[in-house]
Amino acid sequence: MCAFIPLSFVSFSTRLTFSIPLLFSSLVWSGYLEYNQDVLIPEDWKHVGRVDPTEKLELTFALKQQNVDLLEETLRRVSDPDSAQYGKQLTLEEVSSLVRPSELTQKVVRCWLQSHGITDCLTVHTRDFLQCTMTAEVAETLLPGSKFQRYTRDSQSVVRSSAPYSVHDDVHQHLDFVGGLHRLPPKGQQELSKASSNRRQKPGVHLGVTPAILRARYNLSTTDVGTAQNNSQAVAQFLEQYYSPADLAEFMSMFGRSFQHHSQVDRVVGTQGTGKAGMEASLDVEYIMSTGANISTWVFTNPGRHESQEPFLQWMVLLSNMSDLPWVHTISYGDDEDSLSTAYMMRINTEFMKAGVRGISLLFASGDSGAGCKHLGKGQNSFRPSFPASSPFVTTVGGTSFKNPYKVTYEVTDYISGGGFSNVFKMPDYQTSAVDAYLKTVAATLPPQSYYNTSGRAYPDMAALSDNYWVVINRVPVPWVSGTSASTPVVGGMLSLINDQRLLKGLPALGFLNPRLYKLKGQALFDVTEGCHLSCLDEKVQGKGFCAAPSWDPVTGWGTPNYPELLATLLAE
């Protein structure tokens, strides 16, 4: 039985302690339900040993939310330009009122934690996350089956469970998942793209992509810069990636002379590391501030305050708790869908919906592995989609290259551009006609259907140049940097410019773009119709995934932005 003892919870935003009385009846633990049946530790992580029982861990409890179906319907209405509710976005308080867990859910979970002596917890405005600190011994008792171990990779050290965990049946129905047990940080996408770019270096042939090249290709003039006071944009960094203010200033002094710009980030949310700048972080910041020029920029940096934290999940929790957020966020981060639990991905999708109904645009890189490849055994393979790129509730950005490496010409597929079909999420209504048209148009040349799920969410949604960028890192200009980590902030910056003009006209921010993007049917975008991306190296597909085609395709989406036309189209109410 849970005693009537107040439990202390702290709001992330205010850091004020307050007490919530727990009026619980007794709980009868009738059984256990196991989570994450398969726990796979990637080979690049070295096992150090079992964690000391007294070591402190921080775990995140995702409480079941209410009205998720209504949240999805609300997102559809406020994002569909044909809806009478288009643009009527919600405040954080309104989102909180919609999805906040029931009183019963909150009480059951807190009672369960309290019964194990766990009282050091943080909550958020929406009350759907709890982050609690406890010893490893208590965590293993709370979550039977879990066994916490320490793993290292390069200079990173994390604590995760090497075995599945379970919770009591009575609690299971009130939880989506517990974070901080199984997910190990993946390799950064930029590490993959650097390797692929090295194979196509042509010293002395291509001078490389710079802000001036991007502005020329996408038709941004020197006056296409931000002026609205209530506009901002953001990039999010994980995996111990940091940007350097000195690198950013140097980059802008070298490449930003032809347009008005900021040379400093206005706000850093989180803790910047003290080591060398990361390629991923430098690329993101330098290029969102080049296309989204003169717009206030934030950096969310989430190395994790503790070895047991998951930085991506930390970022999602922050979005749930901040009432004042930038309108556009670009993220160059992803995992293989099959490496994540469905419960985890479904809950993250709900978090994306919560952002979308508030008018926030979330852009994710499509990845740098083409269609991907998973070996099923006995000589059988399948394509391997990436998440969050495969989420129906984000805008996913693929990659292109110049057809002629000597000139600013039309674009073709960058063979690393991630794309394909989700094996978890069904195809959203907004894209069914576009995808069906593609599948019919190229039916004769499609890969075997055993490799992919034609009824799944198809991605990417659009694209931009992803090949041969210049980046300043550790005060040195570095050429030939490639990947959808480059194309995503480039598109994000242009959407921020469009938001700027919308806000000046008294219009709401673009918010979740996809329903409107697909209704444009390629209008105001440069269609990419040449090239294929990579996939499995086997006899059936021989390394070739999907290929670009007229209109939408699962390599470059609808194509790349023609900024003046896209601005004019999206300025219409």
Side-chain angles (χ1 to χ4, degrees), residues 39 55 154 246 365 433 475 510:
V39 179
E55 184 164 335
D154 302 326
S433 62
R475 305 299 296 273
L510 289 168

Side-chain angles (χ1 to χ4, degrees), residues 473-549:
I473 180 168
N474 298 312
R475 305 299 296 273
V476 177
V478 177
W480 304 312
V481 176
S482 301
T484 54
S485 303
S487 55
T488 307
V490 165
V491 172
M494 284 186 268
L495 294 182
S496 290
L497 286 182
I498 295 171
N499 268 342
D500 208 81
Q501 294 299 308
R502 287 180 61 87
L503 295 170
L504 288 172
K505 287 185 65 176
L507 298 173
L510 289 168
F512 178 44
L513 183 64
N514 289 11
R516 189 162 187 175
L517 176 66
Y518 279 79
K519 287 191 174 181
L520 295 179
K521 297 182 178 179
Q523 178 187 354
L525 294 147
F526 295 115
D527 197 5
V528 179
T529 60
E530 294 183 25
C532 308
H533 63 186
L534 56 85
S535 71
C536 301
L537 286 169
D538 60 27
E539 292 184 2
K540 289 183 179 179
V541 295
Q542 298 179 20
K544 188 172 80 170
F546 299 101
C547 297

Side-chain angles (χ1 to χ4, degrees), residues 1 43 58 74 241 246 248 269 278 316 321 430 477-478 502 561:
M1 178 178 291
E43 293 180 359
E58 185 173 288
T74 303
Q241 281 276 329
L248 175 60
V269 181
M316 293 299 325
N321 206 51
Y430 61 74
V478 177
R502 287 180 61 87

Side-chain angles (χ1 to χ4, degrees), residues 46-47 51 61 102 138 178 272 296 322 353 395 481:
K46 179 183 178 182
H47 178 238
V51 171
F61 300 85
S102 68
V138 169
V178 182
Q272 275 273 100
S296 175
M322 297 180 71
M353 287 191 278
T395 299
V481 176

